[in-house]
Amino acid sequence: MRYIEEFSARTDLESVAASISDLLRCHDNTDLNADFPRFIETYSQPNDVVIEHLQQILIRCQNGERQQFVAYADGRAVGMSVLCAATEAPGYINPAWPNTSSLVCHPYRRQGIGHLSLRTRLAVVDEVYDGHAWTRVRADNPASQRLVESHGFLPVQATDEHIFYTYDKQGRNAGANGGSRVSSPRSGL
C-alpha cells in the first residue's frame, strides 16, 4: 500500500528515521545528494540525531512555517516532500508562492509515489496558496521534469544545472513576477 501522510504529532518519528536512514545506507541514492545534500547528511546520521531533526521539523510545521509530508510504501517511510513559503524564490518568481520539493528513495522510485506525493501537495497549494507554487528540477533529470510538467508546472527559467517551474491551477501560469515565461538562450525554452 502506498500513501502520503502529512507530517504531524501522530507521525512515528522513530519509524520514519529508521526507514529513511536504512534506505539511504542500503540502496543507490547518491543522485539525491545533488539536490538534497543536507537531507542526505542529516538522515545518514544515527537515528537519535535524525529523530531530533524530525522533532525540529515538527515544530516548524506546527508553527505554520512549512508543511511536510511522508511517503509510505510497504509499511515504511520511503520519501519526504515539503511545501515552504519561506524558501527564497528566484527574483522572477512571485515571492509569495511556496516552493515544493520532494524525494523518493530507491528502490521505490517509478512506482507512482512521486505522482501521489505531488497530487497531495498540489491539493494543499490549491486550497492554501490560491493555486500557485514553484519548484526546481535538475536539468539532467528528465523523469522529474516529466512528473512536474504532467501536473501542470511550466518551465520559466533554465540554467545549466536546473529548470525552474511554476504552477498555476487556473492555467494562467504568470509565475514570473509579471507574467510571461522566461527563457535561457541555452535552454531552448
Side-chain angles (χ1 to χ4, degrees), residues 65-80:
E65 295 174 39
R66 68 191 299 154
Q67 290 166 287
Q68 187 99 13
F69 302 86
V70 181
Y72 292 92
D74 299 333
R76 68 188 303 185
V78 300
M80 305 278 276

Side-chain angles (χ1 to χ4, degrees), residues 110-151:
R110 302 199 193 286
Q111 297 182 23
I113 297 168
H115 282 280
L116 181 60
S117 175
L118 189 51
R119 278 196 309 270
T120 301
R121 285 176 281 135
L122 288 179
V124 174
V125 165
D126 291 348
E127 182 178 322
V128 177
Y129 296 99
D130 195 31
H132 297 101
W134 69 277
T135 193
R136 71 178 189 165
V137 177
R138 280 192 339 268
D140 65 350
N141 189 344
S144 290
Q145 293 166 25
R146 285 189 303 273
L147 172 65
V148 298
E149 290 171 7
S150 74
H151 286 274

